[in-house]
PDB file of all heavy atoms in Angstrom:
ATOM      1  N   ASP A 287      52.453  -1.463 -17.028  1.00  0.00           N
ATOM      2  CA  ASP A 287      53.033  -0.387 -17.691  1.00  0.00           C
ATOM      3  C   ASP A 287      53.240   0.872 -16.712  1.00  0.00           C
ATOM      4  O   ASP A 287      53.187   1.969 -17.231  1.00  0.00           O
ATOM      5  CB  ASP A 287      51.972   0.089 -18.880  1.00  0.00           C
ATOM      6  CG  ASP A 287      52.576   1.093 -19.836  1.00  0.00           C
ATOM      7  OD1 ASP A 287      53.792   0.980 -20.040  1.00  0.00           O
ATOM      8  OD2 ASP A 287      51.814   1.762 -20.399  1.00  0.00           O
ATOM      9  N   ALA A 291      57.390  -0.685 -12.954  1.00  0.00           N
ATOM     10  CA  ALA A 291      57.530  -1.888 -13.893  1.00  0.00           C
ATOM     11  C   ALA A 291      58.413  -1.544 -15.029  1.00  0.00           C
ATOM     12  O   ALA A 291      59.294  -2.358 -15.370  1.00  0.00           O
ATOM     13  CB  ALA A 291      56.242  -2.492 -14.270  1.00  0.00           C
ATOM     14  N   CYS A 292      58.278  -0.266 -15.480  1.00  0.00           N
ATOM     15  CA  CYS A 292      59.145   0.076 -16.748  1.00  0.00           C
ATOM     16  C   CYS A 292      60.536   0.308 -16.235  1.00  0.00           C
ATOM     17  O   CYS A 292      61.457  -0.161 -16.958  1.00  0.00           O
ATOM     18  CB  CYS A 292      58.640   1.414 -17.303  1.00  0.00           C
ATOM     19  SG  CYS A 292      57.090   1.192 -18.228  1.00  0.00           S
ATOM     20  N   TRP A 293      60.788   0.758 -15.105  1.00  0.00           N
ATOM     21  CA  TRP A 293      62.225   0.856 -14.563  1.00  0.00           C
ATOM     22  C   TRP A 293      62.790  -0.367 -14.275  1.00  0.00           C
ATOM     23  O   TRP A 293      63.995  -0.628 -14.624  1.00  0.00           O
ATOM     24  CB  TRP A 293      62.240   1.712 -13.346  1.00  0.00           C
ATOM     25  CG  TRP A 293      62.151   3.283 -13.545  1.00  0.00           C
ATOM     26  CD1 TRP A 293      61.139   4.067 -13.177  1.00  0.00           C
ATOM     27  CD2 TRP A 293      63.096   4.008 -14.267  1.00  0.00           C
ATOM     28  NE1 TRP A 293      61.328   5.372 -13.661  1.00  0.00           N
ATOM     29  CE2 TRP A 293      62.598   5.339 -14.200  1.00  0.00           C
ATOM     30  CE3 TRP A 293      64.383   3.821 -14.789  1.00  0.00           C
ATOM     31  CZ2 TRP A 293      63.247   6.341 -14.840  1.00  0.00           C
ATOM     32  CZ3 TRP A 293      65.146   4.848 -15.413  1.00  0.00           C
ATOM     33  CH2 TRP A 293      64.432   6.105 -15.394  1.00  0.00           C
ATOM     34  N   ILE A 294      62.007  -1.304 -13.786  1.00  0.00           N
ATOM     35  CA  ILE A 294      62.579  -2.767 -13.473  1.00  0.00           C
ATOM     36  C   ILE A 294      62.894  -3.404 -14.869  1.00  0.00           C
ATOM     37  O   ILE A 294      63.972  -3.963 -14.938  1.00  0.00           O
ATOM     38  CB  ILE A 294      61.510  -3.531 -12.689  1.00  0.00           C
ATOM     39  CG1 ILE A 294      61.408  -2.993 -11.287  1.00  0.00           C
ATOM     40  CG2 ILE A 294      61.915  -5.106 -12.784  1.00  0.00           C
ATOM     41  CD1 ILE A 294      60.389  -3.620 -10.511  1.00  0.00           C
ATOM     42  N   VAL A 295      62.008  -3.304 -15.902  1.00  0.00           N
ATOM     43  CA  VAL A 295      62.324  -3.914 -17.204  1.00  0.00           C
ATOM     44  C   VAL A 295      63.449  -3.288 -17.924  1.00  0.00           C
ATOM     45  O   VAL A 295      64.387  -4.019 -18.442  1.00  0.00           O
ATOM     46  CB  VAL A 295      61.100  -3.899 -18.064  1.00  0.00           C
ATOM     47  CG1 VAL A 295      61.404  -4.208 -19.506  1.00  0.00           C
ATOM     48  CG2 VAL A 295      59.949  -4.675 -17.574  1.00  0.00           C
ATOM     49  N   MET A 296      63.667  -1.917 -17.742  1.00  0.00           N
ATOM     50  CA  MET A 296      64.811  -1.214 -18.335  1.00  0.00           C
ATOM     51  C   MET A 296      66.106  -1.702 -17.537  1.00  0.00           C
ATOM     52  O   MET A 296      67.179  -1.787 -18.148  1.00  0.00           O
ATOM     53  CB  MET A 296      64.582   0.179 -18.148  1.00  0.00           C
ATOM     54  CG  MET A 296      63.685   0.750 -19.205  1.00  0.00           C
ATOM     55  SD  MET A 296      63.303   2.581 -19.235  1.00  0.00           S
ATOM     56  CE  MET A 296      64.807   3.310 -18.592  1.00  0.00           C
ATOM     57  N   GLY A 297      66.118  -1.812 -16.348  1.00  0.00           N
ATOM     58  CA  GLY A 297      67.330  -2.355 -15.551  1.00  0.00           C
ATOM     59  C   GLY A 297      67.654  -3.832 -15.957  1.00  0.00           C
ATOM     60  O   GLY A 297      68.870  -4.044 -16.251  1.00  0.00           O
ATOM     61  N   PHE A 298      66.655  -4.645 -16.244  1.00  0.00           N
ATOM     62  CA  PHE A 298      66.870  -6.100 -16.705  1.00  0.00           C
ATOM     63  C   PHE A 298      67.559  -5.953 -18.066  1.00  0.00           C
ATOM     64  O   PHE A 298      68.363  -6.682 -18.320  1.00  0.00           O
ATOM     65  CB  PHE A 298      65.612  -6.898 -16.601  1.00  0.00           C
ATOM     66  CG  PHE A 298      65.780  -8.223 -17.229  1.00  0.00           C
ATOM     67  CD1 PHE A 298      66.475  -9.267 -16.549  1.00  0.00           C
ATOM     68  CD2 PHE A 298      65.201  -8.556 -18.491  1.00  0.00           C
ATOM     69  CE1 PHE A 298      66.643 -10.520 -17.069  1.00  0.00           C
ATOM     70  CE2 PHE A 298      65.214  -9.802 -18.919  1.00  0.00           C
ATOM     71  CZ  PHE A 298      66.008 -10.729 -18.254  1.00  0.00           C
ATOM     72  N   LEU A 299      66.869  -5.125 -18.898  1.00  0.00           N
ATOM     73  CA  LEU A 299      67.394  -4.983 -20.214  1.00  0.00           C
ATOM     74  C   LEU A 299      68.892  -4.488 -20.472  1.00  0.00           C
ATOM     75  O   LEU A 299      69.628  -4.869 -21.257  1.00  0.00           O
ATOM     76  CB  LEU A 299      66.382  -4.164 -21.103  1.00  0.00           C
ATOM     77  CG  LEU A 299      65.110  -4.765 -21.594  1.00  0.00           C
ATOM     78  CD1 LEU A 299      64.242  -3.866 -22.190  1.00  0.00           C
ATOM     79  CD2 LEU A 299      65.320  -6.035 -22.463  1.00  0.00           C
ATOM     80  N   LEU A 300      69.229  -3.598 -19.319  1.00  0.00           N
ATOM     81  CA  LEU A 300      70.515  -3.072 -19.312  1.00  0.00           C
ATOM     82  C   LEU A 300      71.466  -4.318 -18.954  1.00  0.00           C
ATOM     83  O   LEU A 300      72.602  -4.305 -19.543  1.00  0.00           O
ATOM     84  CB  LEU A 300      70.655  -1.989 -18.244  1.00  0.00           C
ATOM     85  CG  LEU A 300      72.132  -1.289 -18.069  1.00  0.00           C
ATOM     86  CD1 LEU A 300      72.478  -0.596 -19.394  1.00  0.00           C
ATOM     87  CD2 LEU A 300      72.032  -0.472 -16.982  1.00  0.00           C
ATOM     88  N   VAL A 302      71.002  -7.428 -19.680  1.00  0.00           N
ATOM     89  CA  VAL A 302      71.071  -8.202 -20.979  1.00  0.00           C
ATOM     90  C   VAL A 302      71.978  -7.586 -21.924  1.00  0.00           C
ATOM     91  O   VAL A 302      72.815  -8.296 -22.622  1.00  0.00           O
ATOM     92  CB  VAL A 302      69.609  -8.387 -21.505  1.00  0.00           C
ATOM     93  CG1 VAL A 302      69.699  -9.079 -22.874  1.00  0.00           C
ATOM     94  CG2 VAL A 302      68.838  -9.287 -20.595  1.00  0.00           C
ATOM     95  N   PHE A 303      71.869  -6.238 -22.135  1.00  0.00           N
ATOM     96  CA  PHE A 303      72.814  -5.538 -23.001  1.00  0.00           C
ATOM     97  C   PHE A 303      74.370  -5.726 -22.704  1.00  0.00           C
ATOM     98  O   PHE A 303      75.100  -5.994 -23.490  1.00  0.00           O
ATOM     99  CB  PHE A 303      72.512  -4.075 -23.090  1.00  0.00           C
ATOM    100  CG  PHE A 303      73.293  -3.219 -23.959  1.00  0.00           C
ATOM    101  CD1 PHE A 303      73.021  -3.388 -25.335  1.00  0.00           C
ATOM    102  CD2 PHE A 303      74.216  -2.298 -23.426  1.00  0.00           C
ATOM    103  CE1 PHE A 303      73.777  -2.446 -26.115  1.00  0.00           C
ATOM    104  CE2 PHE A 303      74.976  -1.651 -24.355  1.00  0.00           C
ATOM    105  CZ  PHE A 303      74.705  -1.580 -25.624  1.00  0.00           C
ATOM    106  N   MET A 328      72.898  -9.196 -32.144  1.00  0.00           N
ATOM    107  CA  MET A 328      71.372  -8.935 -32.343  1.00  0.00           C
ATOM    108  C   MET A 328      70.764  -8.880 -30.943  1.00  0.00           C
ATOM    109  O   MET A 328      69.797  -8.014 -30.693  1.00  0.00           O
ATOM    110  CB  MET A 328      70.844 -10.187 -33.175  1.00  0.00           C
ATOM    111  CG  MET A 328      69.278 -10.158 -33.274  1.00  0.00           C
ATOM    112  SD  MET A 328      68.894  -8.669 -34.217  1.00  0.00           S
ATOM    113  CE  MET A 328      69.399  -9.242 -35.893  1.00  0.00           C
ATOM    114  N   LEU A 329      71.250  -9.656 -29.991  1.00  0.00           N
ATOM    115  CA  LEU A 329      70.673  -9.493 -28.635  1.00  0.00           C
ATOM    116  C   LEU A 329      70.961  -8.210 -28.025  1.00  0.00           C
ATOM    117  O   LEU A 329      70.046  -7.554 -27.406  1.00  0.00           O
ATOM    118  CB  LEU A 329      71.353 -10.585 -27.760  1.00  0.00           C
ATOM    119  CG  LEU A 329      70.888 -10.715 -26.323  1.00  0.00           C
ATOM    120  CD1 LEU A 329      69.352 -11.019 -26.247  1.00  0.00           C
ATOM    121  CD2 LEU A 329      71.618 -11.766 -25.469  1.00  0.00           C
ATOM    122  N   ALA A 330      72.155  -7.515 -28.294  1.00  0.00           N
ATOM    123  CA  ALA A 330      72.478  -6.240 -27.668  1.00  0.00           C
ATOM    124  C   ALA A 330      71.712  -5.237 -28.394  1.00  0.00           C
ATOM    125  O   ALA A 330      71.064  -4.334 -27.735  1.00  0.00           O
ATOM    126  CB  ALA A 330      73.980  -6.027 -28.009  1.00  0.00           C
ATOM    127  N   PHE A 331      71.424  -5.461 -29.763  1.00  0.00           N
ATOM    128  CA  PHE A 331      70.538  -4.456 -30.560  1.00  0.00           C
ATOM    129  C   PHE A 331      69.149  -4.423 -29.913  1.00  0.00           C
ATOM    130  O   PHE A 331      68.588  -3.363 -29.783  1.00  0.00           O
ATOM    131  CB  PHE A 331      70.598  -4.685 -31.966  1.00  0.00           C
ATOM    132  CG  PHE A 331      69.593  -3.879 -32.722  1.00  0.00           C
ATOM    133  CD1 PHE A 331      69.704  -2.598 -32.975  1.00  0.00           C
ATOM    134  CD2 PHE A 331      68.397  -4.567 -33.248  1.00  0.00           C
ATOM    135  CE1 PHE A 331      68.877  -1.838 -33.761  1.00  0.00           C
ATOM    136  CE2 PHE A 331      67.532  -3.933 -33.972  1.00  0.00           C
ATOM    137  CZ  PHE A 331      67.731  -2.463 -34.183  1.00  0.00           C
ATOM    138  N   LEU A 332      68.532  -5.581 -29.856  1.00  0.00           N
ATOM    139  CA  LEU A 332      67.252  -5.774 -29.324  1.00  0.00           C
ATOM    140  C   LEU A 332      67.030  -5.125 -27.869  1.00  0.00           C
ATOM    141  O   LEU A 332      66.035  -4.522 -27.647  1.00  0.00           O
ATOM    142  CB  LEU A 332      66.809  -7.277 -29.458  1.00  0.00           C
ATOM    143  CG  LEU A 332      66.533  -7.708 -30.825  1.00  0.00           C
ATOM    144  CD1 LEU A 332      66.126  -9.226 -30.802  1.00  0.00           C
ATOM    145  CD2 LEU A 332      65.447  -6.861 -31.535  1.00  0.00           C
ATOM    146  N   ALA A 333      68.083  -5.415 -27.049  1.00  0.00           N
ATOM    147  CA  ALA A 333      67.999  -4.921 -25.615  1.00  0.00           C
ATOM    148  C   ALA A 333      67.888  -3.386 -25.747  1.00  0.00           C
ATOM    149  O   ALA A 333      67.232  -2.681 -25.016  1.00  0.00           O
ATOM    150  CB  ALA A 333      69.020  -5.443 -24.778  1.00  0.00           C
ATOM    151  N   PHE A 334      68.942  -2.831 -26.546  1.00  0.00           N
ATOM    152  CA  PHE A 334      69.027  -1.399 -26.637  1.00  0.00           C
ATOM    153  C   PHE A 334      67.752  -0.760 -27.109  1.00  0.00           C
ATOM    154  O   PHE A 334      67.251   0.184 -26.743  1.00  0.00           O
ATOM    155  CB  PHE A 334      70.198  -1.056 -27.376  1.00  0.00           C
ATOM    156  CG  PHE A 334      70.385   0.407 -27.481  1.00  0.00           C
ATOM    157  CD1 PHE A 334      70.963   1.187 -26.637  1.00  0.00           C
ATOM    158  CD2 PHE A 334      70.081   1.113 -28.749  1.00  0.00           C
ATOM    159  CE1 PHE A 334      70.957   2.612 -26.766  1.00  0.00           C
ATOM    160  CE2 PHE A 334      70.218   2.386 -28.977  1.00  0.00           C
ATOM    161  CZ  PHE A 334      70.593   3.287 -27.710  1.00  0.00           C
ATOM    162  N   PHE A 335      67.239  -1.435 -28.240  1.00  0.00           N
ATOM    163  CA  PHE A 335      65.939  -0.790 -28.814  1.00  0.00           C
ATOM    164  C   PHE A 335      64.813  -0.882 -27.894  1.00  0.00           C
ATOM    165  O   PHE A 335      64.096   0.087 -27.871  1.00  0.00           O
ATOM    166  CB  PHE A 335      65.615  -1.718 -30.069  1.00  0.00           C
ATOM    167  CG  PHE A 335      64.539  -1.390 -30.857  1.00  0.00           C
ATOM    168  CD1 PHE A 335      64.372  -0.154 -31.622  1.00  0.00           C
ATOM    169  CD2 PHE A 335      63.320  -2.227 -30.801  1.00  0.00           C
ATOM    170  CE1 PHE A 335      63.281   0.063 -32.402  1.00  0.00           C
ATOM    171  CE2 PHE A 335      62.139  -1.745 -31.463  1.00  0.00           C
ATOM    172  CZ  PHE A 335      62.272  -0.572 -32.201  1.00  0.00           C
ATOM    173  N   LEU A 336      64.563  -2.012 -27.155  1.00  0.00           N
ATOM    174  CA  LEU A 336      63.433  -1.988 -26.174  1.00  0.00           C
ATOM    175  C   LEU A 336      63.640  -1.054 -25.106  1.00  0.00           C
ATOM    176  O   LEU A 336      62.604  -0.430 -24.587  1.00  0.00           O
ATOM    177  CB  LEU A 336      63.333  -3.326 -25.601  1.00  0.00           C
ATOM    178  CG  LEU A 336      62.738  -4.435 -26.524  1.00  0.00           C
ATOM    179  CD1 LEU A 336      62.713  -5.754 -26.058  1.00  0.00           C
ATOM    180  CD2 LEU A 336      61.318  -3.974 -27.037  1.00  0.00           C
ATOM    181  N   THR A 337      64.938  -0.840 -24.622  1.00  0.00           N
ATOM    182  CA  THR A 337      65.276   0.112 -23.601  1.00  0.00           C
ATOM    183  C   THR A 337      64.828   1.518 -24.028  1.00  0.00           C
ATOM    184  O   THR A 337      64.167   2.394 -23.398  1.00  0.00           O
ATOM    185  CB  THR A 337      66.615   0.197 -23.078  1.00  0.00           C
ATOM    186  OG1 THR A 337      66.926  -1.207 -22.618  1.00  0.00           O
ATOM    187  CG2 THR A 337      66.919   1.067 -21.976  1.00  0.00           C
ATOM    188  N   ALA A 338      65.178   1.820 -25.291  1.00  0.00           N
ATOM    189  CA  ALA A 338      64.820   3.187 -25.785  1.00  0.00           C
ATOM    190  C   ALA A 338      63.366   3.371 -25.981  1.00  0.00           C
ATOM    191  O   ALA A 338      62.855   4.381 -25.680  1.00  0.00           O
ATOM    192  CB  ALA A 338      65.639   3.393 -27.151  1.00  0.00           C
ATOM    193  N   LYS A 339      62.733   2.338 -26.504  1.00  0.00           N
ATOM    194  CA  LYS A 339      61.265   2.456 -26.710  1.00  0.00           C
ATOM    195  C   LYS A 339      60.589   2.718 -25.311  1.00  0.00           C
ATOM    196  O   LYS A 339      59.723   3.526 -25.279  1.00  0.00           O
ATOM    197  CB  LYS A 339      60.578   1.215 -27.335  1.00  0.00           C
ATOM    198  CG  LYS A 339      60.778   1.166 -28.772  1.00  0.00           C
ATOM    199  CD  LYS A 339      60.026   0.065 -29.449  1.00  0.00           C
ATOM    200  CE  LYS A 339      58.572   0.243 -29.185  1.00  0.00           C
ATOM    201  NZ  LYS A 339      57.886   0.730 -30.401  1.00  0.00           N
ATOM    202  N   ILE A 340      60.925   1.923 -24.241  1.00  0.00           N
ATOM    203  CA  ILE A 340      60.314   2.073 -22.902  1.00  0.00           C
ATOM    204  C   ILE A 340      60.758   3.518 -22.448  1.00  0.00           C
ATOM    205  O   ILE A 340      59.800   4.276 -21.778  1.00  0.00           O
ATOM    206  CB  ILE A 340      60.832   1.006 -21.998  1.00  0.00           C
ATOM    207  CG1 ILE A 340      60.206  -0.346 -22.510  1.00  0.00           C
ATOM    208  CG2 ILE A 340      60.326   1.265 -20.471  1.00  0.00           C
ATOM    209  CD1 ILE A 340      60.844  -1.505 -21.661  1.00  0.00           C
ATOM    210  N   PHE A 341      61.861   3.921 -22.536  1.00  0.00           N
ATOM    211  CA  PHE A 341      62.363   5.282 -22.077  1.00  0.00           C
ATOM    212  C   PHE A 341      61.578   6.374 -22.777  1.00  0.00           C
ATOM    213  O   PHE A 341      61.020   7.326 -21.957  1.00  0.00           O
ATOM    214  CB  PHE A 341      63.808   5.518 -22.377  1.00  0.00           C
ATOM    215  CG  PHE A 341      64.306   6.927 -21.995  1.00  0.00           C
ATOM    216  CD1 PHE A 341      64.389   7.150 -20.730  1.00  0.00           C
ATOM    217  CD2 PHE A 341      64.516   7.862 -23.004  1.00  0.00           C
ATOM    218  CE1 PHE A 341      64.917   8.430 -20.364  1.00  0.00           C
ATOM    219  CE2 PHE A 341      64.842   9.193 -22.633  1.00  0.00           C
ATOM    220  CZ  PHE A 341      65.104   9.443 -21.355  1.00  0.00           C
ATOM    221  N   PHE A 342      61.466   6.369 -24.045  1.00  0.00           N
ATOM    222  CA  PHE A 342      60.539   7.442 -24.799  1.00  0.00           C
ATOM    223  C   PHE A 342      59.071   7.347 -24.344  1.00  0.00           C
ATOM    224  O   PHE A 342      58.461   8.328 -24.253  1.00  0.00           O
ATOM    225  CB  PHE A 342      60.727   7.302 -26.171  1.00  0.00           C
ATOM    226  CG  PHE A 342      62.215   7.878 -26.718  1.00  0.00           C
ATOM    227  CD1 PHE A 342      62.994   6.892 -27.416  1.00  0.00           C
ATOM    228  CD2 PHE A 342      62.664   8.985 -26.327  1.00  0.00           C
ATOM    229  CE1 PHE A 342      64.229   7.315 -27.850  1.00  0.00           C
ATOM    230  CE2 PHE A 342      63.953   9.490 -26.630  1.00  0.00           C
ATOM    231  CZ  PHE A 342      64.651   8.634 -27.450  1.00  0.00           C
ATOM    232  N   ARG A 343      58.587   6.213 -24.090  1.00  0.00           N
ATOM    233  CA  ARG A 343      57.177   6.024 -23.766  1.00  0.00           C
ATOM    234  C   ARG A 343      57.065   6.707 -22.244  1.00  0.00           C
ATOM    235  O   ARG A 343      56.048   7.350 -22.096  1.00  0.00           O
ATOM    236  CB  ARG A 343      56.741   4.491 -23.589  1.00  0.00           C
ATOM    237  CG  ARG A 343      55.282   4.412 -23.157  1.00  0.00           C
ATOM    238  CD  ARG A 343      54.946   3.071 -22.780  1.00  0.00           C
ATOM    239  NE  ARG A 343      55.326   2.072 -23.867  1.00  0.00           N
ATOM    240  CZ  ARG A 343      55.400   0.728 -23.790  1.00  0.00           C
ATOM    241  NH1 ARG A 343      55.324   0.133 -22.515  1.00  0.00           N
ATOM    242  NH2 ARG A 343      55.777   0.035 -24.802  1.00  0.00           N
ATOM    243  N   MET A 344      58.004   6.415 -21.482  1.00  0.00           N
ATOM    244  CA  MET A 344      57.905   7.042 -20.079  1.00  0.00           C
ATOM    245  C   MET A 344      58.081   8.493 -20.119  1.00  0.00           C
ATOM    246  O   MET A 344      57.426   9.227 -19.471  1.00  0.00           O
ATOM    247  CB  MET A 344      58.890   6.378 -19.072  1.00  0.00           C
ATOM    248  CG  MET A 344      58.583   5.056 -18.873  1.00  0.00           C
ATOM    249  SD  MET A 344      59.863   4.233 -17.693  1.00  0.00           S
ATOM    250  CE  MET A 344      59.931   5.486 -16.479  1.00  0.00           C
TER     251      MET A 344
END
Side-chain angles (χ1 to χ4, degrees):
D287 200 22
C292 287
W293 282 112
I294 290 171
V295 169
M296 283 177 35
F298 175 73
L299 286 172
L300 179 65
V302 171
F303 181 73
M328 184 62 73
L329 185 64
F331 170 75
L332 291 174
F334 179 76
F335 179 73
L336 287 175
T337 302
K339 281 188 65 94
I340 293 171
F341 173 76
F342 288 125
R343 180 190 309 162
M344 287 179 55

